[in-house]
Amino acid sequence: MKDDYWNTILTSSRITSESLSGLHGDSTGYFNVIKKINKDLNAFVFYNENIQTRKVDAVHGDATHAASSTHSIPCAIKSNIAMKGMPLHCASNLLKDFTSPVHASAIAQLLDAGFSIVGLTNMDEFGMGSSTTHSIFGRTANPWDIGRSPGGSSGGSAAAVAAGMVPFALGSDTGGSVRQPAMFCGVWGLKPSYGAVSRYGLVAYSSSLDVIGIIAEQPSWLRKIFSIIKVKGRDPKDTSSFYPQKTPSEQVKKVAVYIPRRNIAEEIRNGMLLAVQQYRNIGYEVTEIDLPIFDYAAAVYLNISTAEASSNLARFDGIRYGTRDATAQSSADLVRRSRNAGFGSEVKLRVLTGAYILQSGFQDQYYTKARALQKHIQKTLLSLFKHYDLLILPVFPTQSFRFDDTQLSDFAQKLGDTFSVVANLAGLPAASFPVAWYNGLPMGAQVVGPLYTEDRICLFLENTAHLFEHRYSPYAKKFFEHSSRDLQDREAMMKDL
């Protein structure tokens, strides 16, 4: 069976209405297959079976609500991104009964382009975690091995894409939360420049670092979806949003590569060396470099992100937002009881850490120094990109880890974000991509570029994807089988992209 939506998305950034029945049989059957696969993975935590889509006029390009029962290309969103009428629980007990009154700007743009949002994906509570285990809905499993983590905090989105249930999903990236799960699940993940996608409708974790990102089944989708959800100049609902009309050149000649000498698994090192050799084979000028900024990047990130989290989550008090404790005896008691029952252990830890960092007597010692080092990281990367077009480095020190891995504690997972947080601290675009498979698990790397070079990064990934093997997870193959999608046709179309 031919997958018409591949041709549709590749020929236009404005998607005309396309029936789900043409992709997966009737839409009821599509959701039945998702639910069957999802029992093992727990990637979806809410299904939007009453889909309301918009048709796009092929001539005028204006969006109107669809009058028919047809639907467009399916996609999923992380549970901390607002869609009007759908839950906005952020995988937290505190917001378990909260329904969004608005569309996030990025969601409105997806709907205007004709996409169908079929459900919400699991996540670490309020985006705080690297494993998608800190959730009121339980943990999400990796489609390559259900005993392993899909990464976090956007692990639900990555697992849904890697399992073939949707061709792409939105996540949020504060310190690698799109790129790390994409790497663990063997798919592609893009974190745009800070402000390139409006943050309106994204529940804030760390306001100066948060970005809505894209996880996709193959690289050409990243550029197409980004062109739809990026801000067109500015978003009046988000003063931090901006994207210029003219962006830097898409040309790539010189590539810098950072391969750590220690604290990295042999499989990750071998994958990086393979990537270097492949790029050199097709003519890129590749230079291995050393970057001391990674010695303190994780500490800087944790200082800034927890400090901002303690401020942002102060609004969730059981009064303005959140589930109230009916037994409270006073307003102060209500706030204390609501947060104690509503927040999970990881959120409590980060909020308390942030409050400690910001308290009188400690702010200069921790937060102010972290901000100074953040500026140093920004200047270091700015200087680097005067000589190189792109920087390639690891995403995480290991492949996907087992849930019962006692050697990789929550704190060790935080330190593992060392390589991914620098792009957020500098506000730069970055994307992770699969490179190789070791022990039946994907291994990937990431590419970072100067500000507003999303097109440069995406085209680089598209032009070099043939250098590396692409595989479908066991659960993706199972999904294709149950949904009557022809995997051979799918593979043939992949090769033609």
Side-chain angles (χ1 to χ4, degrees):
M1 183 181 76
K2 186 177 180 180
D3 279 333
D4 291 336
Y5 76 88
W6 283 108
N7 289 334
T8 305
I9 187 67
L10 291 171
T11 55
S12 174
S13 63
R14 302 284 293 181
I15 310 304
T16 56
S17 183
E18 187 72 39
S19 174
L20 275 179
S21 62
L23 303 178
H24 311 280
D26 63 88
S27 60
T28 301
Y30 170 69
F31 281 107
N32 286 340
V33 175
I34 283 187
K35 291 174 182 177
K36 185 173 183 177
I37 301 297
N38 196 55
K39 285 181 180 179
D40 290 342
L41 301 178
N42 195 30
F44 279 93
V45 294
F46 179 82
Y47 305 103
N48 183 30
E49 296 186 63
N50 184 26
I51 299 173
Q52 294 181 355
T53 61
R54 302 179 183 187
K55 284 185 176 180
V56 177
D57 188 296
V59 178
H60 300 98
D62 58 325
T64 58
H65 287 288
S68 70
S69 61
T70 60
H71 304 292
S72 56
I73 297 170
C75 61
I77 63 174
K78 190 176 178 180
S79 296
N80 61 346
I81 303 174
M83 181 173 176
K84 188 175 182 178
M86 288 176 62
L88 186 60
H89 45 60
C90 302
S92 176
N93 260 323
L94 200 79
L95 294 176
K96 63 182 180 181
D97 298 320
F98 185 74
T99 299
S100 174
V102 299
H103 286 318
S105 293
I107 297 305
Q109 288 165 240
L110 276 181
L111 294 176
D112 284 345
F115 290 95
S116 290
I117 296 170
V118 299
L120 304 177
T121 57
N122 201 12
M123 59 180 285
D124 286 303
E125 184 182 7
F126 285 106
M128 300 181 190
S130 302
S131 58
T132 313
T133 56
H134 305 289
S135 167
I136 60 171
F137 301 103
R139 71 192 190 192
T140 295
N142 193 316
W144 291 92
D145 180 347
I146 60 174
R148 295 178 181 270
S149 168
S153 60
S154 305
S157 290
V161 173
M165 293 189 281
V166 287
F168 78 93
L170 297 189
S172 63
D173 194 309
T174 307
S177 294
V178 160
R179 289 160 288 153
Q180 185 244 31
M183 175 258 195
F184 275 17
C185 292
V187 290
W188 283 261
L190 171 67
K191 181 208 87 71
S193 304
Y194 180 76
V197 178
S198 174
R199 290 190 299 111
Y200 178 76
L202 171 66
V203 178
Y205 163 18
S206 179
S207 300
S208 70
L209 306 175
D210 292 339
V211 183
I212 291 177
I214 306 157
I215 297 175
E217 199 173 65
Q218 47 96 6
S220 62
W221 278 79
L222 296 179
R223 184 161 54 101
K224 289 289 185 180
I225 303 306
F226 175 70
S227 71
I228 292 168
I229 68 172
K230 70 181 180 182
V231 294
K232 309 304 186 281
R234 291 187 183 274
D235 180 1
K237 297 177 181 178
D238 174 16
T239 57
S240 66
S241 67
F242 173 72
Y243 204 76
Q245 289 186 346
K246 186 176 181 180
T247 56
S249 169
E250 298 170 356
Q251 189 175 33
V252 177
K253 291 183 178 180
K254 297 183 178 180
V255 177
V257 176
Y258 172 72
I259 304 177
R261 295 185 177 88
R262 54 190 174 85
N263 298 329
I264 189 172
E266 192 65 24
E267 293 83 3
I268 304 298
R269 180 183 298 277
N270 289 340
M272 294 294 299
L273 292 173
L274 170 65
V276 168
Q277 187 58 52
Q278 292 287 68
Y279 294 140
R280 284 175 174 162
N281 287 345
I282 61 172
Y284 287 107
E285 184 179 328
V286 181
T287 304
E288 293 189 40
I289 63 169
D290 187 30
L291 279 175
I293 59 175
F294 294 106
D295 293 338
Y296 46 82
V300 172
Y301 168 77
L302 288 171
N303 269 271
I304 293 173
S305 63
T306 56
E308 293 186 2
S310 71
S311 176
N312 281 328
L313 270 64
R315 73 194 70 180
F316 302 116
D317 52 13
I319 299 174
R320 292 166 291 182
Y321 298 96
T323 304
R324 294 190 178 193
D325 189 315
T327 64
Q329 301 299 309
S330 65
S331 58
D333 188 40
L334 171 62
V335 172
R336 180 180 63 82
R337 286 174 179 265
S338 298
R339 290 177 177 169
N340 185 55
F343 288 149
S345 58
E346 183 64 24
V347 173
K348 290 175 181 176
L349 173 63
R350 298 199 191 200
V351 168
L352 288 172
T353 301
Y356 178 85
I357 288 170
L358 291 177
Q359 72 175 326
S360 178
F362 293 97
Q363 187 168 342
D364 288 343
Q365 185 177 353
Y366 296 109
Y367 185 75
T368 303
K369 286 184 178 179
R371 282 297 188 189
L373 284 170
Q374 181 187 21
K375 291 182 179 179
H376 175 68
I377 290 172
Q378 292 170 338
K379 290 180 180 178
T380 299
L381 292 175
L382 182 64
S383 177
L384 175 74
F385 287 124
K386 290 180 180 179
H387 307 285
Y388 301 98
D389 301 312
L390 294 173
L391 167 65
I392 295 174
L393 64 156
V395 181
F396 198 78
T398 69
Q399 293 176 281
S400 173
F401 48 83
R402 296 195 63 84
F403 290 116
D404 57 2
D405 188 346
T406 57
Q407 294 183 336
L408 207 61
S409 64
D410 283 347
F411 182 70
Q413 292 174 33
K414 292 180 176 69
L415 295 181
D417 293 335
T418 294
F419 309 123
S420 58
V421 298
V422 293
N424 300 82
L425 291 170
L428 301 178
S432 61
F433 57 99
V435 171
W437 271 256
Y438 298 103
N439 303 316
L441 296 172
M443 171 273 153
Q446 66 173 322
V447 54
V448 182
L451 200 62
Y452 308 127
T453 56
E454 285 81 3
D455 285 344
R456 178 189 298 180
I457 289 173
C458 291
L459 283 171
F460 174 77
L461 294 182
E462 291 175 45
N463 293 336
T464 58
H466 68 281
L467 300 175
F468 310 109
E469 181 183 7
H470 179 265
R471 298 183 187 179
Y472 290 108
S473 74
Y475 276 88
K477 294 177 181 178
K478 186 183 297 186
F479 182 84
F480 299 151
E481 177 185 351
H482 286 293
S483 59
S484 301
R485 298 171 73 177
D486 192 309
L487 185 56
Q488 290 185 342
D489 284 352
R490 176 91 160 215
E491 294 280 12
M493 295 183 104
M494 286 286 292
K495 293 177 181 179
D496 291 338
L497 296 177

